[in-house]
Amino acid sequence: MVPIRAGWFPRWRAPAAVAAGALPALAFPAPALWWFAYVALVPWMLLLRSAPTGRRAVLEGWLGGAGFIVAVHHWLLPSLHVFLVPLAALLGLLWIPWALLVRELLGGIPAGARAAAALVLVPAGWLLSEVVRSWQGLGGPWGLLGASQWQVPPALRLASVGGVWLVSLLVVAVNSALVLLIAAPRARIPAVAGVTGCAVLTGVVWLWVPGPETSGRLRVAVVQPGVLPDGPDSAEQRFAAGERLTRGLAGQPVDLVVWGESSVGGDLTARPDLAGRLAALSAQVGAPLLVNVDARGADSPGIRKSAVLVGPRGLTGDRYDKMRLVPFGEYVPARALLGWATSVGKAAGEDRVPGDTPVVMDLPARPDGPPGVRLGPLVCFESAFPDMSRHLARNGAVLLVAQSATSSFQGSWAPGQHASLAALRAAETGRPMVHATLTGVSAVHGPSGERIGPALPTSASTARVYEVPLAGGTTPYVRHGDWPVAAALAALAAYCAVEGLRSLRRPAPEPSGPPARTARGSAARRVR
């Protein structure tokens, strides 16, 4: 056996860390191997627990985190080009605390209390990285591990209790227990207890937490024009395509028609011709239209993306301006410093202007429809943020609507990943969610997160009416908020406090005495 010299480690460990960090991406759409999430972290964690030094665990945690970011966001390459690599390197730093926890708690021969602590603290460390990178300026909460469970009913019920955060904690806890079963035979009892505990928690929530009770239905039409050629008249082509498809809904019972993001390319107060065409459409189909204006305002500076409600008599006055903008896609952070990015990638040439408040809109009542329907609009990127849909539900919205456009990423995993988020937001809030896009994937999910009708793929150019069930009541997540995050941070803080006290009580090492003088040493000094 060849001894490992200090400062030298097998060369395969670094690329293995990158590859292991990328594995969880397979649990998200398009592969959508939801079950793989429960084992996907095991190779990375086995690597980290065997790291010879803490410094090596830091490196492999960073490399694995960067690999995860590149794998989950690889479809950004056409827009960001080489910028995706330094962005991944920056975000990969967020996994360093988790990597150190894995080495400390799962390394060596964990047993008893240390193994039990690992089943709590390792998931908490992972959640810490998810919470920090969920800040809008770091790209937002895209690719949260719990979001991979968007099509699993028991996981969606967990989301109604603690949001996507609780699902992430459970998924990482199962991975941690599997690592104990594989690498630490003495810890089999706490490992089996951990897996059993996760199963029992899920079962208890499934059996005892009531699901939403349906209180009526709303007929919502989603208009998806499909891919249209770029050009100077592309905005008019999009409008005309939406107009044509909406006109085909005449004669069908419809309560609301939803167009995708950037479906209207001119400010409706400055373009009475467009406003008039939309009002005529609303009168023809007998329902209000929720469109999305991407234009420079006539009475305000800058370009805004706004959800606007139009009825048979014209603009209703209900308008929501997108609050959370996509970094580089809709604004360039520190443009004075990073503005040169517009000459390399597809970064925004001009910063969009963000809105400052969420809006809940009132739909006009219909004689044959449910009374008092209020909708909460979100625009594209915003459907990734659990707090935004929760806020709308608390403010009285009974229907969530996300208007999106992923035409820049056709043929990639992005449209499927984006559409899947609607299931999580619906389950968290107990409110149905309509995800309407220009080019697919468009999808509708009921108040438990269940799929309503077929999704509209990226190849579709159509308008489809969905019977959307409405629900009352309040989910525990809407009522109590991000309590799993607070619990995870409290557990990590307690661990740090205990370790700090332990280090303070540890006796300091005895000072070493001066080296003994020898005749040989004295002679050597005289020679020098």
Side-chain angles (χ1 to χ4, degrees), residues 349-379:
E350 178 182 350
D351 291 349
R352 298 297 198 267
V353 178
D356 54 12
T357 184
V359 173
V360 176
M361 302 178 178
D362 293 297
L363 290 182
R366 292 170 54 99
D368 58 341
V373 174
R374 309 187 74 197
L375 68 89
L378 299 167
V379 182

Side-chain angles (χ1 to χ4, degrees), residues 54-410:
R55 183 176 298 179
R56 189 67 188 186
V58 166
L59 175 63
E60 291 168 0
W62 172 53
L63 291 175
F68 176 80
I69 293 297
V70 170
V72 173
H73 299 83
H74 70 274
W75 41 268
L76 284 172
L77 279 169
S79 298
L80 294 182
H81 297 294
V82 295
F83 291 107
L84 182 59
V85 175
L87 177 63
L90 171 65
L91 295 178
L93 296 172
L94 299 177
W95 274 270
I96 289 177
W98 176 75
L100 292 172
L101 281 171
V102 171
R103 180 179 181 272
E104 177 66 24
L105 297 172
L106 294 176
I109 309 176
R114 186 155 69 99
L119 296 176
V120 174
L121 295 171
V122 170
W126 178 277
L127 195 66
L128 176 64
S129 69
E130 291 198 335
V131 170
V132 174
R133 72 183 178 89
S134 293
W135 177 51
Q136 176 193 346
L138 291 179
W142 194 286
L144 302 182
L145 197 57
S148 66
Q149 306 302 295
W150 64 277
Q151 54 188 325
V152 183
L156 291 173
R157 188 67 61 84
L158 281 174
S160 74
V161 174
V164 67
W165 315 112
L166 182 58
V167 185
S168 286
L169 285 173
L170 181 136
V171 171
V172 182
V174 172
N175 277 272
S176 302
L178 291 178
V179 170
L180 288 173
L181 287 172
I182 293 170
R186 292 175 57 184
R188 284 176 180 169
I189 292 178
V192 172
V195 173
T196 304
C198 291
V200 169
L201 171 64
T202 304
V204 168
V205 169
W206 179 259
L207 293 173
W208 294 101
V209 175
E213 294 185 5
T214 302
S215 58
R217 291 184 176 273
L218 197 72
R219 296 177 292 270
V220 180
V222 174
V223 175
Q224 181 177 297
V227 179
L228 298 171
D230 290 330
D233 61 342
S234 58
E236 176 58 32
Q237 288 188 47
R238 283 198 305 273
F239 189 96
E243 191 176 32
R244 172 179 54 81
L245 292 170
T246 303
R247 194 176 293 117
L249 297 169
Q252 301 183 50
V254 179
D255 297 308
L256 174 66
V257 179
V258 183
W259 287 16
E261 181 187 18
S262 303
S263 49
V264 178
D267 182 72
L268 293 177
T269 59
R271 293 286 305 273
D273 57 323
L274 296 180
R277 289 162 67 180
L278 290 171
L281 272 180
S282 176
Q284 187 174 0
V285 301
L289 276 62
L290 185 69
V291 299
N292 191 273
V293 177
D294 184 0
R296 194 177 305 278
D299 55 355
S300 60
I303 301 174
R304 297 173 184 265
K305 287 190 175 182
S306 307
V308 179
L309 196 63
V310 182
R313 298 182 180 179
L315 303 180
T316 66
D318 290 318
R319 174 191 180 112
Y320 165 68
D321 296 330
K322 184 178 184 180
M323 297 171 60
R324 295 184 181 172
L325 305 177
V326 180
F328 292 98
E330 294 171 331
Y331 78 101
V332 176
R335 183 175 285 272
L337 179 64
L338 301 175
W340 53 270
T342 58
S343 62
V344 180
K346 297 180 181 178
E350 178 182 350
D351 291 349
R352 298 297 198 267
V353 178
D356 54 12
T357 184
V359 173
V360 176
M361 302 178 178
D362 293 297
L363 290 182
R366 292 170 54 99
D368 58 341
V373 174
R374 309 187 74 197
L375 68 89
L378 299 167
V379 182
C380 196
F381 178 60
E382 294 177 328
S383 68
F385 292 86
D387 65 300
M388 296 196 72
S389 53
R390 175 175 174 262
H391 186 87
L392 290 171
R394 289 176 66 91
N395 283 0
V398 298
L399 173 69
L400 303 175
V401 179
Q403 298 171 298
S404 177
T406 53
S407 53
S408 299
F409 308 107
Q410 294 296 97

Side-chain angles (χ1 to χ4, degrees), residues 1-10 52:
M1 181 175 178
V2 179
I4 297 178
R5 300 189 302 273
W8 182 92
F9 302 103

